[in-house]
């Protein structure tokens, strides 16, 4: 019940006269208001700024500090007022809450200071009015994220606790390369090999001149097949060792195996092993060639080395729903327009739109304004 | 949207016109002004305020009848003077005045007679306001029974309508009603 409406209680009771003659039983006696002293002023001195209000205003919310007997602890005998050693600017809003029944959040105040004041005066933040609630919730969330980031940074800069098991030590070395020289060396070596592996993939496909007994140009991969194979083997060995070490050192193996980075690691080294297993079978070699495409995922292993790439990943993850919706609405539009195009050209014989999926390509190219 | 602002007559005049003293008038006005800063209550606001006191049921119909009873000048809005005059009668008036005011409330079309339809409307409005939480649980035809019992008691000459005199006489004969009327003295 809003605070001001309480003043209309006599009116509501008086209106009960309406059903009194109609009632078949006598009316119950209205509850007596405890006459708790007169309707007097209360002076609140908050760090020198004096606020004055009626006693009844404060007593509207008896489960807060000012509305209950808890305020007597702050009563100052000599000046006959209640003294609080808190921020007067924020107190203004708290007092307004008693007066109007609505709690507002001022934009220029710091969210932590505001929360502290609310906690001190026993007011739960959930009653913030709709006008200010969005702002409050946003600021609170930003603050929580900032605190979390700070914590993580602090944790990583902690002084090394002495009694780490070998496993924990290994994990720390992997997660934060700056903890020891060995970790740093390992970090740079893996980075180097990732780069080598990606470059080898790229160079493999460059045409390298003709072989003596053939007229066709061959790619470098076919010409120096052995060299590239050795290089690939070396890289995959390093990656496998790294993956196994991480797996051993992980505090929670299940969680580690489900994490994105480990999936990328596995996808990066799988094609090589699969290739070892099925070199002789021609039927599946086509599929094997496709698998080699996955070697390009090794480039994503760089995200362990680059914070910027990780941030990009987080950004994509956090607006995944919006991107998903964009994709969905684009798909809807494509389907609609492809259908229209197909039926528009159905009558004509020399048309390329032989079916609706055939019209998809045209629609996509036109909608993305490429136009070829 | 034009903002209608109304200031009541002076405190002294109101004190003379009603049965409240200055202090009570001050408290009443502060509550009134808090809820209606413009100084007048529209029917919507009236209904809203009333609904807050009776969240379990639908108080809008009864609030509508009440509004008409408060709004003696039929202006469509209640000023503070109307509000406090009505409260003065209900809380501090004589028995006759209270009964007269109640008769006015029941007589929806202000023709001086309460007929069965008006009474049924009022009783149904009251039942709506009580909502589902009355004890004992009311049956759907309870309003009709109630109205019949009421007319049985009040309509002395059996002409189908209740006049003001019949109403006042019948209520004064009923012990329960008299006792209930006394309870309003200490409400403020």
């Amino acid at each position: 019940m809003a605070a001001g409406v309480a003043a209309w209680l006599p009116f509501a009771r008086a209106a009960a006269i309406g059903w009194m003659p109609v009632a078949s039983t006598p009316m119950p006696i209205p509850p007596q208001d405890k006459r708790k002293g007169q309707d007097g002023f209360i002076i609140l001195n908050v760090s020198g700024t004096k606020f004055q209000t009626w006693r009844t205003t404060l007593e509207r919310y008896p489960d807060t500090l000012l509305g209950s007997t808890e305020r007597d602890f702050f009563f100052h005998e000599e000046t006959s007022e209640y003294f609080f050693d808190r921020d007067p600017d924020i107190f203004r809003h708290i007092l307004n809450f008693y007066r109007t029944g609505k709690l507002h959040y001022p934009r220029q105040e710091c969210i932590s200071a505001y929360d502290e004041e609310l906690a001190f005066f026993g007011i739960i933040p959930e009653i913030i009015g709709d006008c200010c609630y969005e702002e409050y919730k946003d600021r609170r969330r930003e603050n929580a994220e900032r605190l979390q980031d700070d914590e993580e940074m602090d944790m990583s800069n902690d002084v090394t606790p002495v009694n780490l098991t070998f496993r924990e030590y290994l994990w720390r070395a992997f997660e934060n390369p700056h903890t020891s020289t060995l970790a740093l060396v390992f970090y740079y070596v893996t980075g180097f090999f990732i780069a080598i592996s990606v470059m080898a993939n790229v160079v493999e496909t460059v045409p390298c001149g003709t072989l003596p007994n053939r007229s066709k140009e061959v790619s470098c991969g076919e010409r120096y097949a052995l060299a590239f194979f050795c290089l690939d083997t070396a890289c995959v060995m390093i990656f496998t060792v790294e993956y196994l070490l991480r797996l051993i050192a992980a505090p929670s193996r299940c969680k580690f195996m489900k994490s994105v980075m480990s999936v990328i690691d596995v996808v990066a080294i799988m094609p090589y092993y699969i290739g070892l297993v099925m070199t002789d079978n021609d039927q599946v070699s086509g599929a094997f060639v496709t698998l080699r495409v996955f070697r390009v995922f090794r480039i994503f292993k760089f995200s362990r080395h680059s914070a910027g790439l990780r941030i990009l990943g987080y950004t994509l993850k956090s607006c995944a729903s919006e991107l998903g919706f964009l994709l969905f609405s684009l798909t809807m539009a494509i389907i609609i327009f492809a259908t229209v195009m197909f039926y528009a050209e159905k009558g004509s014989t020399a048309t390329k739109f032989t079916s609706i999926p055939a019209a998809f390509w045209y629609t996509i190219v036109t909608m993305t304004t490429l136009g070829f | 949207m034009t903002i209608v602002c109304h200031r009541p007559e002076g405190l002294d005049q109101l004190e003379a016109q009603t049965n409240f003293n200055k202090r009570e008038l001050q408290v009443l006005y502060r509550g009134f002004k808090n809820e209606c800063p413009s100084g007048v209550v529209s029917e919507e606001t009236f209904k809203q305020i009333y609904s807050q006191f009776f969240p379990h049921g639908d108080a809008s119909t009864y609030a509508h009848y009440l509004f008409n009873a408060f709004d003696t000048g039929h202006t469509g809005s209640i000023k503070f003077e109307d509000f406090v005059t009505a409260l003065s009668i209900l809380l501090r008036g004589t028995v006759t005045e209270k009964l007269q005011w109640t008769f006015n409330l029941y007589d929806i079309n202000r023709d001086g007679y309460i007929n069965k339809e008006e009474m049924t409307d009022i009783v149904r409005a009251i039942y709506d306001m009580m909502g589902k939480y009355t004890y004992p649980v009311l049956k759907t035809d309870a309003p009709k029974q109630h109205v019949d019992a009421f007319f049985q008691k009040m309509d002395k000459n059996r002409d189908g309508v209740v006049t003001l005199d019949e109403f006042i006489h019948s209520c004064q004969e009923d012990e329960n009603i008299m006792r209930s009327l006394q309870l309003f003295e200490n409400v403020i």
Side-chain angles (χ1 to χ4, degrees):
Chain A
M1 196 155 72
V5 182
W8 285 63
L9 200 53
F11 147 72
R13 296 221 185 102
I17 203 172
W19 63 81
M20 200 213 27
V22 185
S24 36
T25 51
M27 299 286 293
I29 305 175
Q32 280 290 2
D33 285 331
K34 344 184 230 80
R35 302 230 120 243
K36 213 160 88 149
Q38 313 86 317
D39 194 33
F41 278 132
I42 286 194
I43 301 179
L44 301 161
N45 185 345
V46 183
S47 302
T49 314
K50 291 222 170 105
F51 295 89
Q52 254 181 322
T53 182
W54 296 109
R55 185 183 301 272
T56 45
T57 310
L58 289 183
E59 284 166 3
R60 282 182 196 153
Y61 296 100
D63 53 352
T64 57
L65 186 152
L66 291 172
S68 64
T69 51
E70 196 181 345
R71 66 167 184 249
D72 294 336
F73 288 102
F74 298 93
F75 189 67
H76 196 235
E77 302 279 341
E78 290 90 2
T79 47
S80 191
E81 61 190 16
Y82 293 86
F83 181 75
F84 296 94
D85 203 8
R86 312 288 299 188
D87 188 357
D89 291 328
I90 299 183
F91 186 76
R92 193 167 62 81
H93 298 281
I94 291 178
L95 196 52
N96 271 340
F97 164 62
Y98 287 91
R99 290 182 181 134
T100 61
K102 296 196 202 79
L103 182 61
H104 293 282
Y105 169 61
R107 275 165 204 232
Q108 73 273 18
E109 296 293 344
C110 167
I111 185 82
S112 323
Y114 190 72
D115 270 340
E116 271 173 30
E117 296 297 310
L118 284 186
F120 180 79
F121 286 103
I123 297 175
I124 44 172
E126 272 67 37
I127 48 176
I128 289 187
D130 289 336
C131 42
C132 300
Y133 195 63
E134 280 290 326
E135 175 79 17
Y136 177 77
K137 272 271 164 252
D138 283 343
R139 293 277 283 266
R140 234 215 179 146
R141 197 169 27 91
E142 280 171 21
N143 201 41
E145 282 168 12
R146 186 185 54 80
L147 280 176
Q148 224 181 16
D149 285 343
D150 277 353
E151 254 177 40
E152 283 171 16
M153 290 230 304
D154 278 343
M155 271 180 2
S156 51
N157 293 343
D158 274 347
V159 179
T160 320
V162 188
N163 306 336
L164 278 182
T165 65
F166 176 66
R167 185 172 158 185
E168 285 170 5
Y169 176 76
L170 204 57
W171 182 249
R172 263 186 95 238
F174 277 127
E175 289 300 299
N176 191 355
H178 300 286
T179 46
S180 72
T181 333
L182 191 60
L184 209 55
V185 164
F186 189 72
Y187 178 76
Y188 283 125
V189 161
T190 40
F192 176 69
F193 271 97
I194 295 175
I196 289 276
S197 158
V198 170
M199 276 209 324
N201 279 347
V202 169
V203 170
E204 248 181 13
T205 58
V206 172
C208 236
T210 57
L211 283 180
N213 52 351
R214 289 234 220 142
S215 52
K216 216 173 60 152
E217 281 243 358
V218 293
S219 63
C220 284
E222 282 176 30
R223 191 154 172 187
Y224 302 107
L226 194 57
F228 278 105
F229 182 72
C230 292
L231 197 56
D232 206 22
T233 313
C235 294
V236 170
M237 302 259 34
I238 302 268
F239 296 153
T240 316
V241 163
E242 181 203 352
Y243 180 71
L244 287 174
L245 281 180
R246 275 184 203 265
L247 190 61
I248 293 173
S252 155
R253 301 227 168 98
C254 285
K255 196 165 140 242
F256 173 73
M257 289 187 62
K258 285 191 279 192
S259 75
V260 178
M261 286 311 304
S262 94
V263 167
I264 290 180
D265 286 341
V266 168
V267 166
I269 59 182
M270 259 321 167
Y272 178 80
Y273 288 111
I274 297 183
L276 278 187
V277 166
M278 51 179 213
T279 23
D280 300 343
N281 203 336
D282 269 335
Q283 274 178 329
V284 291
S285 68
F288 171 63
V289 166
T290 321
L291 266 183
R292 293 179 80 160
V293 169
F294 284 101
R295 289 187 307 171
V296 81
F297 276 87
R298 288 180 194 166
I299 206 171
F300 284 116
K301 285 167 68 77
F302 266 131
S303 55
R304 277 217 185 87
H305 298 255
S306 157
L309 214 55
R310 276 204 300 275
I311 290 178
L312 185 63
Y314 290 148
T315 315
L316 284 176
K317 197 164 71 167
S318 71
C319 46
S321 70
E322 281 85 9
L323 284 178
F325 177 70
L326 180 65
L327 216 57
F328 174 68
S329 52
L330 268 182
T331 312
M332 260 178 38
I334 288 173
I335 292 179
I336 292 175
F337 287 120
T339 314
V340 168
M341 290 310 303
F342 172 70
Y343 281 111
E345 295 219 350
K346 201 158 164 35
S348 146
T349 41
T351 173
K352 281 212 164 123
F353 300 149
T354 50
S355 65
I356 294 185
F360 276 167
W361 178 239
Y362 169 81
T363 317
I364 291 175
V365 162
T366 314
M367 274 184 61
T368 51
T369 72
L370 287 172
F372 49 71
Chain B
M1 186 176 81
T2 54
I3 309 242
V4 177
C5 198
H6 179 83
R7 296 211 161 72
E9 309 164 11
L11 195 53
D12 295 321
Q13 276 171 295
L14 276 178
E15 194 189 1
Q17 286 170 3
T18 65
N19 303 331
F20 292 123
N21 62 24
K22 277 215 171 77
R23 207 166 181 72
E24 290 165 338
L25 282 174
Q26 278 179 342
V27 170
L28 279 175
Y29 187 68
R30 284 207 291 264
F32 184 86
K33 182 93 176 168
N34 221 3
E35 204 58 30
C36 317
S38 62
V40 292
V41 196
S42 67
E43 188 164 344
E44 265 315 304
T45 323
F46 197 84
K47 281 184 183 168
Q48 263 173 14
I49 294 173
Y50 215 68
S51 310
Q52 287 184 2
F53 286 108
F54 296 95
H56 297 304
D58 176 23
S60 48
T61 332
Y62 188 68
H64 170 74
Y65 295 137
L66 263 186
F67 185 84
N68 287 337
F70 268 82
D71 184 15
T72 44
H74 301 287
T75 53
S77 58
I78 301 178
K79 303 186 291 295
F80 183 61
E81 292 95 334
D82 301 327
F83 177 70
V84 99
T85 317
L87 272 189
S88 162
I89 296 176
L90 289 175
L91 300 179
R92 301 281 165 90
T94 64
V95 168
T96 321
E97 285 175 348
K98 289 182 190 173
L99 289 175
Q100 222 167 0
W101 199 92
T102 316
F103 183 85
N104 217 13
L105 173 67
Y106 291 160
D107 185 16
I108 299 175
N109 55 3
R110 306 275 181 277
D111 63 353
Y113 302 107
I114 305 177
N115 52 18
K116 274 221 163 118
E117 288 82 31
E118 289 173 341
M119 204 59 225
T120 318
D121 284 341
I122 295 272
V123 171
R124 190 161 293 129
I126 293 173
Y127 277 31
D128 285 342
M129 186 170 62
M130 296 302 192
K132 306 189 295 292
Y133 296 97
T134 51
Y135 177 76
V137 179
L138 301 163
K139 304 189 282 292
T140 36
D141 62 344
K144 186 160 188 323
Q145 287 175 347
H146 227 125
V147 170
D148 289 336
F150 178 80
F151 266 79
Q152 196 81 313
K153 203 168 46 166
M154 301 279 169
D155 191 8
K156 290 284 187 308
N157 58 358
R158 299 277 176 269
D159 60 355
V161 294
V162 179
T163 63
L164 180 59
D165 297 318
E166 285 176 344
F167 184 72
I168 294 182
H169 275 128
S170 315
C171 285
Q172 282 175 332
E173 287 164 10
D174 190 332
E175 266 297 315
N176 282 341
I177 296 180
M178 285 295 110
R179 203 174 322 129
S180 310
L181 280 178
Q182 309 302 349
L183 292 174
F184 287 96
E185 304 292 321
N186 309 325
V187 168
I188 187 162

